[in-house]
Structure formats: C-alpha cells, structure tokens
Amino acid sequence: MRVVVAVLVLLGLGGVVAWQVGDALGLEVRPADVPVERPVAAPARPLAPPPGIGSIGVPDVPRLRLAATAVADALVERGLPRPVVGGAGQLGVRTEAGLPDEGYRVDAGPVVVGSTPAGIAAGLYDIADRVRTGREVVADGRVVAPRLGLRLTDLGAVGLPDDPEGFARGDDYSLNSDVVGSAVLPGAPHVDRAAVDGIARQFRELVRHALADGYNAVVVPGFLEYVTFDGLGVHPDGDPHVARAEAMADAFGPVWRYAHEMGMKVFLSTDMLALSTPLRSYLEREVGGLRTEDERLWRVYRAGLSEVFEELSYVDGMMIRIGEGGAAYRFAGWDYHSEIAVTTPEAVRAMLRAFLATAAEHDREIVFRTWSVGIGAVGDLHTSRDAYEQVLGGLRDDRLVVSTKYALGDFYSHLPLNDTLLAGHHRRIAEFQSRREFEGLGALPDDLGELHRHALRAFLANPRLEGVWTWRQGGGPLAAGPRSLDLRTGFWQLYDLNSYVTGRLARDPDQDPARATADWVRRTFSHDPGVVRGVCEALALSREAITTGLYVGPYARHRVRALGLDPPPMMWIFEWDIPTGDSATLGTVYAVGRDRVDEAVAEGAAAVGTARRMRELVGATDPAGWRDPALRERFVAALDYQVDLFGVLAAYRTAALRHAQWLDTGDTGARDAARAARAEYGVRRAGHLRAYGDDLELPAYNLVAADLGLHRAARDEAMAWAARGVLLGLVLAFALGWRRPWARALVRPWRSAGVPGAGVPGAGAPGAGASRVDRVLVWAVPAVAVGLARAVLTWFAAPAHLVPALGAWLLFAVVLRLTAGRALRSRLAAAVGAVALLRSVLLLGVLAVRGPGWYWFGFWTDPVARAVYVTAAFAAFLGVLVAAYAALRGGLGRRGALGRVLVAAGTPLAALGALVAVVGLERALTTWNDQLALLPWGLSRILGITVHLGVPTALPAVALVAGCAAVALGAALAHRRG
C-alpha cells in the first residue's frame, strides 16, 4: 500500500510540473489580419521635357538657396545648362499670407508662392523632383500642402564606420548607433576634429537628400554625452566627463545646427535610463538607486535636459525609448550606456511628466516611442490598446508626440497593422523602415510603397496622426550584414526607394505608390522607357518574392504565441541571415501549418521562380539606356544573389518541413522527400558559400544552425533503431537472467530478499544465491541503460549534455554508495537502479518511435503527450530519491537515510552550479543549445539566451548554495539515527 501511495504522490508532483511546463510552452494560434498587397507596375507615360529656366531668383536665405540649388542640379541632370541662382530670376518666389505653413502654389512665370520659407522651399523641391523624374512643371495656381506635417528621418549611415574587415567577419551584432564614435578620443582634447569634419560632410549630404525627399525633421542619437550637470555635484572636481561634454557640444553643435538652418527640426534621441559611471553613483547616493518612480531621480534628468535645450538651442525636442538597452547598445570604450529600468506605468508617467515640464519651460517637444519589451502593461505598450490607455491615458499634453511602429510587432511582413495608432488622444507618428532588417538588410529588392500607403491611409482615421518617421538605415545589426551604407557605400539605392516613396506618401497618402516608384526609377537609374518598364515590373514582383521566399506562409499568416513568447512571422530565419535548425522553431512552424505542408514547400519553389523572373526583366534592359551602367550591374548581381539564396532556402525549408512531417506522421514519402531535399540543400549550400562567402555587399547567409539541424535530422531514424536495439538488449538480458538475483532485484525491488553478510534485512537486493556477477549487474545494467538512453537522446553529438547529465548520475551514485556503508550497498543499488532503469526505459520507448527528433517535436507541439511524459519522467526522477531513502531507512533510520540522500543529491547540484559559474551561464547555455539544437542558434549571438528568456544570471550561484546547503543539512542529519 505504501508503494501505491508513494507512486500516486510522485505522479501528482509530476503532474504539477507538467502543468507548469505546459503553461509556459503552450502553443496558441489565431489567424492574422494581414494587409493585402497587390503592387503593380505603373503604366508607361511620356517624359515631359524640362522647363527652360535660365535663372532662379530667391532671397539670400540659406534654406531657400539650398532648395534653389536642388532645382538647378535637376536641370543639369536633364542636360540643360546650370541656371544662375541669385536675387532675381526666370523662376521666382513670392511671399503671400494665408497659405498653410508648408503650403505653396506655382503661379505663371513660373513663381513659387508661399506664406513661409518652409512653403516656398517645399515648392522649389517639388519642382526639382518633377524635373528629375520627367513630370511636367505646371503653373496652375493650385495650393499644395502636405497631409502630414511632421516627417522625420534617421541619420542614415552618417558616422557609421565603413570597416571592410568587420563586415567580412559578419559576427558583430552590436546595435550601438552612436554616430560620433569615430570622433571620440580617450582623453583631452576628447574630440578628433578631422573626424568631426568627415561626419559633418556626411550629415550635410543626408540633409540635402532628405529635404529633396520631402522630410522636414531629423533624429540624431545623443543626450548624456552633451551634459555636464553643472551645479548638481554629479561629477567630482576634475572629472573628465565635464570636459568631454563641453568638447562634444562645441564640436558637434555646429554639425547638427546645419539641419536647423536648412529648415529641418532636430530631435536628439536617447534610451532611458541613460547612465554614466558618475551619474549612477550620484543616483545611488542621492536617490537610493535607479528608482524610476521617484521624482527626485527625474529632477536630475530634467536638469540635464534643460542644459541640452539651453546649450544646443536649435534642438527642437528629445525622442525617448525605454524598451531596449544594455550591452548590445554600448559603444566600446564609451562610458555612457543605458539600462531598461523604466518598466512600470508609474515610472513611465513620472518620466514623461518631468520631461514635458522641462519641454514647456523651453518651448520644446518630447517624442515618446512605444517600443517596449517585458511583462505587464509597459511590456505590452506597443501592441495593446488596453496597455496604451493604462500607461499613457492620463497624460494630456500637446508637447507629447507618441511614435509607434506601423506593424503590430517589429518590421516584418505578414503582420497586422498596429491598431494602437488608432488609440489615444495624443499626437501620433508612425514609424517605417526602408532597409528592412529582417528581409535582407537592403541586399534584396523590396518595394514597400503599396504596404506603406495602405498603413498610412488606415491610420489617418485617427485625426491626431500628424507624421511619419522613416528609418533610412537604422534597425538591426549595423555591421553583421551587407556592406551597404546609405548614400555612401554599396547598392544603397535599393532601399533609398522606400525612403523616397514613403516621403511622398507622407505628403499625399492618396497618390499611387507605383507612380512614385516609377518616378524614383527615372530619378535614380534612367529615363529610358525600356529600362523604366523593366525595373518597375521587377520591383512590382519584389514583395511577392520576399513574402514567399523569406516566410513560410501557412505559419506566417497566423499570430502565434509559443514557448511563452510572441514569435515573429518569419521565425525560421533568425534576425536577418541565420536559417535556424532548432527543434522548437521548426516544430512550431510545421505544427501551425501541418495541413498545408505542400503549400509551404511550393511557396519556396515559387519564390525562386519569381526572383528568376525579376532577374530576366532587369537583365533584359539595355545597358546603354542606364544613366550609370554600374548600377545595372549591381541590380543584376543582387537578383542573381536572390535567385541563388532563395534556392538554398527553398531546399532547406523542404528538408525541414518534410522531416517534421515524417516525425509527425511516420509517412515514408515525407521521409524520402526530406532526404532528397537534404541532398539538394547540400549542393546548393556549397554553391552559395562558394559564390558569396567572400562577398561583402552580397554576403552568404550563415548556415551553421541549419547544418546542425539537418545533421541531427539525418540521424533520427538511426537513433530510433538504436533505441529499439537497447530496449531489445534489455529484454534479452532479463529473459536470459530471469532467475538470477540481479534481475529479480531490479524487477521487484520492494521485495525483501536479504543480503548475504549484510547483517540486516534487505529489500529487493540480490539474495543468498547472489554471485559477484549479480552484484555487478544489479548496478551495471541500469548504468548502461541510463548512459545509452542519454546518448541516443543527444544523437551521440552533444557532450555538453552528456557530461553533466551522466556526471551528475555518477556523483549521486558514488556519494550514496560511499556514505551508505557496505551492508546496504546491494539493496541500495537494486532500489535506485530499478527506478533509474524504469526512467531510462520510458525515455528509450519514446526515442524508439522516430528518434530524438520525435521526442522534441512532441515536447514542443503536443500538449497531451508532453503532459503525460513530463508527469511520468519527473515522478521517476523523484522516485530515485525516494527509492534511495527507502533502501537506507531500514538500516540507518529516517534521519540517517534522509541525511545521506540529501548529501548525495546536493553534491552534483553544487558541482554543476560551480562548473556553470566558472564557465559562465550564457556560455554554458550556448554550448548546450548549440549541440542539442533546441532553441535558435542565433539567440545567444544576438540577444543572449539569459536576457531573451529571462533566465536569472544568479542561477549557478543559487544552485551552488542550494547544493552546499543540502550537503550540510544532510551531513548533520546523517550523524543522528532515528
């Protein structure tokens, strides 16, 4: 009866664990309301001749002179002589009250009429764009005004290092965007003036380009590096932070002021909390730490913000993000960094009220980004209307602008529009990304015009929407991708398209994005009708290629919650270039679309066909028709790369999905298709690495994780046979030794048999007829079963799992044996060995179906099977400890038995804790995961397993302390009988 009760209790505990695991890993799937994209190429139109303008008359105002120069440059590009820009001219300007701030009209003359310099400049830039793109300049007196008045751009590639060696390594996943890094010196004078001059030249070019594209504001990273906190006592006397901040403001103030002088608003941007070593010390001393709900903390930051607004008087506001930060964003050698510390609604409101009060004092604005991570309302702020209202609903201030990514998630396709942009009473702007970080990082054609128009027209239902923020270069790793820097290096024109079209759509969301694309083609590549037609038709196919070649449609068209996370619609490709091979991802992708595997496989092949068609269209254009034939060569090369890449990915997706289908159904046709696809992948992989392995602009994808996954998949069937073989061996061993004491002891460990020479009665130990062989086999058979079961589970390819797992078993057994005394060893071996054998047989039985792949596939995707297995496996795990206690209790008493079990269990726990502490938790988890391929291989390289999954970094220390405590308590109990 006691045995039955014990088993029921253990199963109950196992059920609790299974419930907790299932709650964390539960797979939730629902359809996603994804915007429908039907891009088409614009119909051909005749090229309007450029107007004969010999001179341009504008006042001697820098921003107007720059706009007039843009018109002159456009006329030169169309083959006309450069017009003279002066105080009077054939093309004139006139100021007239009553027009909107950026509104203008073109009267006969032609004359650009506006009520402000902003309106006149907008009219001149529109004329320049019409000339470049071959549209007619019409002096019809119609008033033109932008629909959205705030149109921000990021810094593009300004200040980013062009490091060929770094791009060649391809392993720098840093997200740091400190554009001033190349100019920072470790000591006085703190700033390299020559480097500042280089950054200034890049910035001026960006400003000119952005103004021509219709943008009127720029976001510049920076805040704390310009702040001295004068008078607060943050910095002790002689602290170099003060001199550095003064040098930074003196050197870079004139650089960023240029944008203001040319008519653009300037916003600095920072993550919160922004910190330095002395600032952290000050906050700990004066506030008691990073207490982000405490107004005293924000008074310090208010002083810093006020100093920025006073010293950098041209700065129009501050943009704040609270959802990202940490080591990945830290510039090497730079003392300034950020931490994710504003994590509660109260802290967000305290921060914003403080900054808005400072903004009011200086007549500035605060832009708050809703991008956030974590749990609770702040963690859901970006995607939940309820969370948005909970966090920001009580804040009403017209100096607050709330900025939000247009998609309900990150910059992926197959995502619904972000309906939080329709919520709230705040001024709103929508964020867009030109160089899509998850869709080739600018290396692949990706015309987003139709998608962006759809989004803007939907968001205009909110009358408070007043702008956009277009990321020209920003987002994703800056050096672990194609060597492509906006306006500087590589084929940056591919994503310049999206910056241009989004800028036009922000001014007029009702215009046809296909016509805007055609205008960009004329501006960038050629006025030749054949070239324009071919390139536009190729670009019209680009979204179909991207959304099928880089996404698995049956999965991507759903909103999924899995593994306790909200995985993105791409998922099978981690970040930008790592096709993953882990069982969690691939099992989930298959499970979501298991009834549409044929469709998912066909999509991969279709994407190759689409990319090939795009290559044919651009390749058929006449090189002589291109303004710069080198750009045609780059375009064709990019499409050759896309065809090759999509071929690799198509073969890989087929291999992965068909293998998962075999794991799920046992269908031999799926197994054979997976084998064929693995072979095809091997050929295509070799060709891809050979062609693009050393190409910096079109780099080969990182296929390490895919190779790991396929290598293990190829072993699954063999491992299933190995598990069957071990089980058969155990059956034969017990059949042949059925009458031997060792076999009876392991099969019926609860029966008393007596141990010769022990002096005490035994339970389930080899009895009077036992030989030395029996005493060896009673522990050797379970030991072999445990070792082989674990080896099969790891495909014989994961020593990082085998060594600690088998080492823990060994330590447990050795310590238990040494502390039990000779009289109890046989009965102990039988009791513990029987339960260990039972647990191994359970594992081998699962592995015998279709190998370790089936084991993990069921774990991730089948809640019933997972619950049953986890319940039984955890019960058996605890059963080992219970069996050891029961075997020792008769000879040592309850305290003595419990003490020895605690010592035996605590020793491996402490040893593993110490080992992981020495190695490092992140490194240990990375090595373990690399060999078992359970979670994305890129997780640790880019985000960090501990950070992304919230694994406490103190876990090894906790295990070490807990193990030592168990040993100490056990040792104390072991000396007391009873």
Side-chain angles (χ1 to χ4, degrees):
M1 187 61 183
R2 289 182 178 178
V3 174
V4 173
V5 172
V7 170
L8 290 176
V9 170
L10 292 175
L11 289 173
L13 292 172
V16 171
V17 172
W19 172 62
Q20 291 292 328
V21 171
D23 187 58
L25 302 183
L27 182 64
E28 300 175 17
V29 181
R30 62 187 187 276
D33 183 15
V34 178
V36 177
E37 299 178 61
R38 297 189 179 92
V40 295
R45 65 167 174 80
L47 191 68
I53 298 174
S55 59
I56 305 172
V58 293
D60 190 17
V61 176
R63 66 190 299 183
L64 296 183
R65 287 297 176 102
L66 184 64
T69 300
V71 176
D73 291 341
L75 291 167
V76 171
E77 290 175 13
R78 291 296 303 279
L80 297 182
R82 175 175 291 277
V84 176
V85 177
Q90 191 174 351
L91 170 62
V93 302
R94 185 173 73 247
T95 301
E96 180 180 301
L99 275 69
D101 181 56
E102 283 190 284
Y104 68 91
R105 70 172 188 265
V106 180
D107 290 347
V111 177
V112 177
V113 182
S115 62
T116 65
I120 294 173
L124 291 170
Y125 282 120
D126 182 56
I127 289 174
D129 190 56
R130 286 177 173 275
V131 171
R132 283 193 177 94
T133 59
R135 290 176 289 153
E136 186 178 2
V137 177
V138 181
D140 57 5
R142 180 175 62 91
V143 176
V144 178
R147 184 70 176 274
L148 298 175
L150 184 58
R151 304 177 300 280
L152 298 95
T153 180
D154 70 356
L155 275 189
V158 172
L160 298 183
D162 181 14
D163 177 14
E165 293 183 1
F167 281 107
R169 288 193 303 272
D171 59 357
D172 181 4
Y173 286 94
S174 169
L175 301 172
N176 177 268
S177 57
D178 286 305
V179 299
V180 299
S182 63
V184 174
L185 298 175
H190 301 294
V191 176
D192 183 338
R193 289 286 177 165
V196 173
D197 290 343
I199 293 171
R201 286 192 296 272
Q202 295 172 14
F203 183 66
R204 290 194 294 269
E205 183 179 5
L206 169 84
V207 168
R208 291 191 289 268
H209 200 86
L211 285 167
D213 283 351
Y215 294 94
N216 63 1
V218 62
V219 180
V220 178
F223 166 51
L224 209 56
E225 56 265 46
Y226 301 107
V227 177
T228 65
F229 291 109
D230 185 34
L232 278 186
V234 171
H235 301 111
D237 292 342
D239 190 324
H241 286 83
V242 175
R244 181 186 296 117
E246 292 172 344
M248 290 289 296
D250 181 60
F252 282 100
V255 177
W256 313 138
R257 186 186 297 117
Y258 175 78
H260 172 78
E261 293 171 346
M262 294 304 112
M264 299 187 82
K265 287 186 173 183
V266 178
F267 290 87
L268 294 183
S269 69
T270 185
D271 288 329
M272 277 291 157
L273 284 175
L275 293 165
S276 66
T277 302
L279 178 57
R280 177 189 283 275
S281 298
Y282 179 83
L283 293 174
E284 290 173 348
R285 185 171 66 251
E286 299 295 327
V287 185
L290 306 183
R291 303 166 63 91
T292 56
E293 296 179 10
D294 193 325
E295 291 185 2
R296 293 178 298 166
L297 178 141
W298 295 115
R299 282 200 292 269
V300 178
Y301 284 96
R302 280 193 64 182
L305 185 60
S306 182
E307 182 180 344
V308 166
F309 287 156
E310 290 171 0
E311 296 299 322
L312 307 178
S313 59
Y314 55 85
V315 171
D316 294 277
M318 177 67 71
M319 178 179 283
I320 298 167
R321 179 179 69 172
I322 62 171
E324 293 191 40
Y329 297 87
R330 189 168 187 168
F331 173 64
W334 192 240
D335 189 16
Y336 305 106
H337 61 285
S338 63
E339 288 190 16
I340 301 176
V342 185
T343 57
T344 66
E346 293 76 16
V348 173
R349 289 192 292 269
M351 175 188 72
L352 290 178
R353 287 193 182 103
F355 286 166
L356 287 167
T358 304
E361 293 172 359
H362 296 273
D363 192 22
R364 301 295 205 278
E365 295 174 312
I366 299 297
V367 180
F368 174 63
R369 296 191 59 207
T370 63
W371 184 250
S372 57
V373 296
I375 60 174
V378 174
D380 293 336
L381 182 60
H382 180 63
T383 56
S384 167
R385 296 178 72 158
D386 291 340
Y388 183 96
E389 182 62 27
Q390 181 180 344
V391 176
L392 300 176
L395 281 170
R396 293 181 178 269
D397 192 317
D398 278 343
R399 296 187 182 278
L400 175 63
V401 182
V402 181
S403 180
T404 302
K405 292 181 181 181
Y406 84 93
L408 205 63
D410 214 336
F411 288 117
Y412 291 96
S413 298
H414 295 289
L415 281 175
L417 298 181
N418 196 334
D419 62 352
T420 67
L421 276 159
L422 300 174
H425 48 262
H426 308 98
R427 299 163 60 193
R428 303 300 298 274
I429 59 177
E431 302 175 11
F432 298 95
Q433 186 180 49
S434 298
R435 184 181 185 247
R436 298 273 278 207
E437 61 190 283
F438 306 111
E439 296 177 353
L441 263 176
L444 307 175
D446 198 1
D447 183 356
L448 299 163
E450 176 70 21
L451 178 61
H452 288 181
R453 181 180 70 162
H454 182 88
L456 283 175
R457 294 173 75 172
F459 299 146
L460 283 168
N462 182 356
R464 302 287 282 172
L465 183 80
E466 64 175 63
V468 300
W469 180 26
T470 302
W471 304 7
R472 300 182 61 92
Q473 178 90 20
L478 301 177
R483 185 188 176 202
S484 179
L485 299 173
D486 183 47
L487 303 179
R488 292 171 56 194
T489 302
F491 195 25
W492 54 266
Q493 288 84 356
L494 275 184
Y495 49 97
D496 178 67
L497 162 66
N498 293 321
S499 300
Y500 173 83
V501 173
T502 305
R504 278 186 47 170
L505 289 170
R507 286 172 286 165
D508 179 13
D510 293 327
Q511 69 178 287
D512 182 1
R515 292 186 180 276
T517 293
D519 288 341
W520 175 84
V521 172
R522 294 184 185 93
R523 184 186 85 164
T524 306
F525 294 138
S526 174
H527 289 131
D528 180 274
V531 173
V532 174
R533 182 177 61 253
V535 173
C536 285
E537 289 180 359
L539 290 172
L541 294 171
S542 65
R543 292 297 295 154
E544 178 184 344
I546 290 290
T547 56
T548 55
L550 296 180
Y551 296 84
V552 179
Y555 167 83
R557 289 188 286 271
H558 291 84
R559 294 187 67 183
V560 177
R561 183 168 181 81
L563 316 181
L565 303 169
D566 293 308
M570 185 176 289
M571 197 172 171
W572 73 301
I573 302 176
F574 196 83
E575 288 302 316
W576 89 273
D577 70 337
I578 306 175
T580 192
D582 62 284
S583 58
T585 295
L586 297 179
T588 301
V589 169
Y590 166 82
V592 171
R594 58 166 31 104
D595 298 328
R596 301 167 66 184
V597 175
D598 291 346
E599 176 188 336
V601 169
E603 274 188 350
V608 176
T610 303
R612 190 170 286 122
R613 174 60 181 154
M614 294 167 63
R615 166 64 172 83
E616 292 169 355
L617 287 166
V618 177
T621 60
D622 184 359
W626 288 66
R627 191 172 300 120
D628 182 356
L631 291 179
R632 179 184 179 276
E633 293 177 7
R634 284 182 180 269
F635 210 138
V636 170
L639 292 170
D640 284 335
Y641 172 75
Q642 186 168 21
V643 171
D644 182 85
L645 172 64
F646 281 12
V648 176
L649 295 178
Y652 179 64
R653 91 159 67 189
T654 301
L657 292 177
R658 292 301 186 194
H659 181 71
Q661 187 178 33
W662 172 69
L663 293 176
D664 183 30
T665 66
D667 179 63
T668 56
R671 179 199 61 192
D672 294 342
R675 287 176 178 170
R678 281 200 298 269
E680 181 184 357
Y681 166 80
V683 174
R684 289 185 177 275
R685 170 194 179 280
H688 180 70
L689 296 178
R690 185 166 54 249
Y692 299 105
D694 297 322
D695 196 321
L696 300 187
E697 294 185 15
L698 300 170
Y701 265 38
N702 186 333
L703 301 174
V704 173
D707 294 345
L708 287 170
L710 291 185
H711 177 263
R712 279 142 185 76
R715 290 188 174 190
D716 270 333
E717 191 169 18
M719 293 300 100
W721 282 109
R724 295 164 196 166
V726 176
L727 287 173
L728 179 60
L730 288 174
V731 170
L732 291 174
F734 276 96
L736 294 174
W738 183 248
R739 295 183 180 277
R740 300 300 305 166
W742 71 267
R744 293 198 304 272
L746 290 174
V747 172
R748 296 174 294 182
W750 58 87
R751 291 201 174 184
S752 296
V755 181
V760 295
S771 66
R772 183 178 181 84
V773 172
D774 289 309
R775 292 190 179 90
V776 171
L777 290 177
V778 80
W779 64 260
V781 170
V784 170
V786 168
L788 289 178
R790 289 288 160 182
V792 172
L793 176 65
T794 62
W795 297 274
F796 288 87
H801 177 83
L802 277 179
V803 170
L806 298 183
W809 270 107
L810 182 61
L811 274 176
F812 174 77
V814 168
V815 172
L816 204 59
R817 179 180 175 85
L818 292 177
T819 59
R822 295 179 58 86
L824 299 174
R825 287 175 183 174
S826 293
R827 66 189 297 188
L828 187 62
V832 172
V835 182
L837 183 62
L838 175 65
R839 194 168 189 273
S840 298
V841 168
L842 173 65
L843 175 58
L844 288 165
V846 175
L847 297 175
V849 180
R850 280 183 286 279
W854 191 76
Y855 173 98
W856 289 113
F857 176 81
F859 182 82
W860 300 122
T861 67
D862 189 333
V864 175
R866 177 177 61 235
V868 171
Y869 180 82
V870 171
T871 297
F874 190 76
F877 167 74
L878 293 180
V880 171
L881 304 181
V882 173
Y885 170 79
L888 296 175
R889 187 182 61 184
L892 298 174
R894 293 179 179 179
R895 289 192 182 93
L898 179 59
R900 284 160 176 78
V901 171
L902 284 174
V903 171
T907 300
L909 181 62
L912 286 177
L915 176 63
V916 174
V918 171
V919 173
L921 180 60
E922 183 67 36
R923 181 181 175 187
L925 288 175
T926 298
T927 304
W928 177 80
N929 185 59
D930 285 354
Q931 295 179 9
L932 282 177
L934 302 184
L935 299 170
W937 179 88
L939 193 61
S940 66
R941 275 83 181 169
I942 300 172
L943 302 175
I945 294 177
T946 54
V947 172
H948 190 66
L949 298 183
V951 180
T953 55
L955 193 60
V958 171
L960 175 60
V961 171
C964 290
V967 170
L969 178 59
L973 290 173
H975 285 84
R976 298 181 62 186
R977 297 177 63 87

